[in-house]
Amino acid sequence: MIRSELIQKIAEENPHLYQRDVERIVNTVFEEVTDAMARGDRVELRGFGAFSVKKRDARIGRNPRTGETVHVEEKHVPFFKTGKLLRDRLNGKA
């Protein structure tokens, strides 16, 4: 599902809301999650999961095409851990 499909589905299930308002709500939620993660905060959506940021240390890597060693800088990457309800539902337990 992509963002526009999510907006469409929410708008269909809530006919009392204008589509532009639903779009603004969805965009605001995504922006807040992104901003919180950019600050290094953890974002937890109960029953769904938690978004956090993990640090990957600098290391020596290898260019797979040439075999040459290259320096890979330290970086921060997004990480998602599923919640118990989501995990159970994916495994047919709920």
Side-chain angles (χ1 to χ4, degrees):
M1 175 178 280
I2 59 175
R3 186 186 304 230
S4 60
E5 292 172 338
L6 175 63
I7 292 167
Q8 186 65 38
K9 182 146 178 75
I10 293 172
E12 287 171 2
E13 292 179 5
N14 297 280
H16 60 284
L17 296 174
Y18 292 111
Q19 182 157 348
R20 69 176 181 270
D21 292 336
V22 173
E23 187 173 347
R24 189 175 308 134
I25 291 166
V26 169
N27 288 338
T28 300
V29 169
F30 287 147
E31 286 173 22
E32 287 301 316
V33 170
T34 303
D35 291 346
M37 290 178 67
R39 291 190 306 269
D41 296 340
R42 181 174 182 265
V43 178
E44 181 178 340
L45 302 172
R46 294 280 164 105
F48 183 71
F51 297 91
S52 59
V53 178
K54 290 200 174 202
K55 178 183 158 199
R56 290 204 179 143
D57 293 329
R59 61 187 171 83
I60 301 296
R62 188 168 302 278
N63 182 332
R65 186 173 298 178
T66 64
E68 176 185 353
T69 59
V70 292
H71 177 73
V72 179
E73 294 183 6
E74 167 188 289
K75 58 183 154 188
H76 294 85
V77 294
F79 179 75
F80 178 73
K81 182 176 180 184
T82 59
K84 184 175 182 338
L85 289 174
L86 176 59
R87 209 170 26 252
D88 288 346
R89 190 154 181 201
L90 291 175
N91 291 307
K93 296 180 182 176

